[in-house]
C-alpha cells in the first residue's frame, strides 16, 4: 500500500540524519520542507522531498495537501490512562479550598483511585481506558507510555499491566508499559512502607518480568511518599529484571531524586516543577531526559517546570501530558505544546521538538517515531489549512488537526 501526499504546505520535523534527541540551543531548530511531498509505503515513511523533485510515483492513493501541514504524531512519554472511575469530587474540593496534599491525607488522591480500581473488573477497566486511548489518538498522539500504579496490590497492579498489554495488542498506536507499584503506600500498609516495598520486589517484580508486562520502572520519589533510599531500592531491584527507570521526581519538593535517577541511568526524570541549581547540574551531559508536564501544573496551580533555565543551561527537555484522574485529567498534547509556549516561554520550535523527537527518546522509540525520517512509522498529523506551525500553539484550545494516520492508515 502506497500513499502519496503532494503539495504539502510545510512538512515539519524533517530529519534526514538520525537524531536521538535535541538539547539546549539545538532545540530552537525545527527543520522543515516547504511545498513538499511525502510517500508512505507499508506503514512506513518511504520518501519525501520538495515538490520540484517529486518523482512520478505509482501510488494507491494520492492526497493533495495544499494549504495543510504534516507533522510527526505527538509522542506522549508520561501517562496514567489506565484507571477506573474519576475524581471530579476532589476537583471541586480543591476549588473550595482543600489542597491536593490535604485531599491525599484524608484518603483521597491516589488511594481513592486505587480503591476504585480494585473494585472494578479487568474488562471494565479496559473498556474505560480504551475510550481515553481513542481520544488521544484523535488528538494526534502516535506513541504513548502508560503506567500502572493505581492497583497497589499484587492483583491490582497485574490487572492494570494486563489492560495495557491488551491495548497494545488491539491498537496501532505505539505503547510502552511502566510498572509504578511504588506510587503511594496503600492503606493496608499504613506505617509499614518497607513491608509494601518488599512485596513489590519479592512478589510482583518476578511476575511482571515472567509475563513481560513492563519495559520501565517508576516510583513517586516525594516527601510523604517514597524517599531517595526507597527509590534506590526499587530502581536497583527493577534493574535486576531489565526494567529501565523513568521516575516521578521534584513535583512538590526537591529531595535528591534527580541525582538517584541519573545514578541509575534513568531514561527520564519527570515533573521537575521544583528544580534547584544542583538538580540542573546533575542532568548535564547525561542520557537522562527531563520531562515537563505543564497540564499538571495548570490543573493543580503549581509552578511550571523552569524550562527556560534548563534549556538555556544546555539540557534537553521533553513534554508529556501526565493524563491521570487526579492531577491531570487531560491527554491533549496540543494543549501541552501551547501551554509550554504560553506559560513556560518555550518557542514553538522548542515545544514541537520536546513533544516529538525528545518524547520518542523518553520512551526508547527514537528509531521508530518522533520525526519525518525514512524508515520510521508513518504516524502523522495532517493539519487543517493553517498559516504556520506556530499557529498550533498560538490558537490554543482550537483544533488544528484535520486527520491522523497511524502506521500509514487514516484513523477515523
Ligand atoms: O504524576 N505525582 C504522582 N502521580 C500522578 C498523580 C496521581 C494522582 O493524583 O492520581 C502525577 O501527577
Ligand atoms: Fe505522573
Amino acid at each position: 500500500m502506497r500513499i502519496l501526499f503532494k503539495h504539502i504546505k510545510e512538512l515539519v520535523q524533517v530529519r534526514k540524519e538520525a537524531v536521538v534527541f535535541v538539547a539546549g540551543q539545538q532545540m530552537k531548530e525545527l527543520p522543515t520542507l516547504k511545498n513538499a511531498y511525502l510517500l508512505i509505503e507499508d506503514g512506513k515513511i518511504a520518501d519525501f522531498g520538495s515538490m520540484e523533485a517529486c518523482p512520478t510515483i505509482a501510488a494507491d492513493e494520492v492526497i493533495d495537501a495544499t494549504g495543510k501541514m504534516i507533522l510527526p504524531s505527538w509522542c506522549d512519554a508520561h501517562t496514567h490512562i489506565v484507571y477506573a472511575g474519576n475524581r471530579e469530587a476532589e476537583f471541586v474540593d480543591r476549588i473550595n479550598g482543600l489542597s491536593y496534599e490535604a485531599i491525599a491525607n484524608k484518603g483521597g488522591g491516589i488511594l481513592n483511585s486505587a480503591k476504585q480500581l480494585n473494585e472494578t473488573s479487568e474488562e471494565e477497566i479496559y473498556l474505560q481506558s480504551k475510550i481515553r486511548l481513542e481520544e488521544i489518538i484523535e488528538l494526534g498522539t502516535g506513541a504513548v507510555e502508560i503506567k500502572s500504579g493505581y492497583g497497589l496490590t499484587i492483583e491490582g497492579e497485574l490487572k492494570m499491566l494486563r489492560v495495557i498489554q491488551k491495548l497494545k495488542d488491539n491498537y496501532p498506536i505505539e505503547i510502552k508499559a511502566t510498572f509504578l507499584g511504588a506510587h503511594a503506600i496503600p492503606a493496608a500498609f499504613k506505617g509499614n512502607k518497607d513491608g509494601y516495598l518488599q512485596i513489590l520486589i519479592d512478589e510482583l517484580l518476578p511476575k511482571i518480568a515472567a509475563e513481560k508486562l513492563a519495559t520501565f520502572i517508576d516510583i513517586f520519589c516525594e516527601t510523604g511518599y517514597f524517599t531517595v533510599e526507597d527509590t534506590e531500592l526499587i530502581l536497583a531491584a527493577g534493574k535486576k529484571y531489565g526494567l529501565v527507570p523513568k521516575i516521578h521526581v521534584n513535583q512538590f519538593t526537591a529531595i535528591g531524586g534527580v541525582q538517584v535517577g541519573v545514578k541509575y541511568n534513568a531514561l527520564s526524570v519527570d515533573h521537575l516543577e521544583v528544580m534547584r541549581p544542583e538538580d540542573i547540574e546533575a542532568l548535564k551531559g547525561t542520557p537522562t531526559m527531563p520531562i515537563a508536564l505543564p497540564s499538571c501544573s495548570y490543573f493543580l496551580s503549581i509552578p511550571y517546570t523552569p524550562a527556560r533555565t534548563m534549556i538555556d543551561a544546555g539540557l534537553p527537555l521533553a513534554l508529556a501530558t501526565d493524563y491521570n484522574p487526579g492531577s491531570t485529567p487531560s491527554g491533549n498534547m496540543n494543549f501541552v505544546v501551547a501551554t509550554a509556549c504560553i506559560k513556560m516561554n518555550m518557542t514553538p520550535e522548542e515545544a514541537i521538538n520536546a513533544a516529538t523527537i525528545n518524547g520518542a527518546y523518553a520512551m526508547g522509540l527514537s528509531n521508530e517515531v518522533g520525526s519525518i525520517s525514512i524508515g520510521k512509522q508513518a504516524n502523522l498529523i495532517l493539519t487543517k489549512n493553517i498559516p504556520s506551525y506556530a499557529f498550533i500553539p498560538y490558537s490554543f484550545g482550537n483544533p488544528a488537526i484535520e486527520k491522523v494516520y497511524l502506521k500509514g492508515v487514516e484513523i477515523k
Side-chain angles (χ1 to χ4, degrees), residues 152-209:
L152 309 183
T153 57
I154 294 176
E155 265 323 302
E157 287 295 305
L158 290 173
K159 194 156 78 168
M160 287 187 78
L161 290 167
R162 288 182 188 131
V163 168
I164 300 173
Q165 183 61 49
K166 196 164 163 194
L167 292 171
K168 213 191 252 191
D169 293 343
N170 294 349
Y171 286 85
I173 184 172
E174 216 39 63
I175 296 177
K176 289 279 188 175
T178 300
F179 170 50
L180 174 58
H183 195 191
I185 301 148
F189 284 82
K190 199 169 177 202
N192 182 18
K193 183 182 66 179
D194 291 346
Y196 179 59
L197 289 174
Q198 228 39 63
I199 285 180
L200 296 184
I201 294 167
D202 297 339
E203 296 187 41
L204 249 173
L205 267 174
K207 288 198 170 70
I208 290 165

Side-chain angles (χ1 to χ4, degrees), residues 2 83 128 289 311:
R2 284 174 139 195
Y83 59 82
Q128 293 185 20
M289 176 65 66
I311 296 171

Side-chain angles (χ1 to χ4, degrees), residues 230-252:
D230 300 334
T231 304
E232 288 228 24
L233 188 73
I234 286 292
L235 299 193
K239 278 218 157 169
K240 283 198 191 132
Y241 293 97
L243 299 185
V244 176
K246 272 174 72 70
I247 60 177
H248 281 73
V249 282
N250 292 40
Q251 182 179 7
F252 302 107

Side-chain angles (χ1 to χ4, degrees), residues 76 78-81 83 86-87 94 100 132 135 150 248 251 271 273 293-300 302 320-332 335-336:
D76 189 352
H78 181 137
T79 83
H80 311 244
I81 64 168
Y83 59 82
N86 285 289
R87 304 208 322 250
R94 280 198 301 108
Y100 182 72
R132 290 184 280 270
E135 189 179 84
Y150 290 120
H248 281 73
Q251 182 179 7
H271 272 289
E273 287 87 341
L293 309 166
S295 300
C296 175
S297 299
Y298 176 86
F299 189 73
L300 293 185
I302 60 174
T321 62
D322 198 20
Y323 196 174
N324 75 74
S327 72
T328 324
S330 162
N332 190 340
F335 179 79
V336 164

Side-chain angles (χ1 to χ4, degrees), residues 304-315:
Y304 288 88
T305 300
R308 219 26 309 134
T309 315
M310 292 165 70
I311 296 171
D312 292 346
L315 294 185

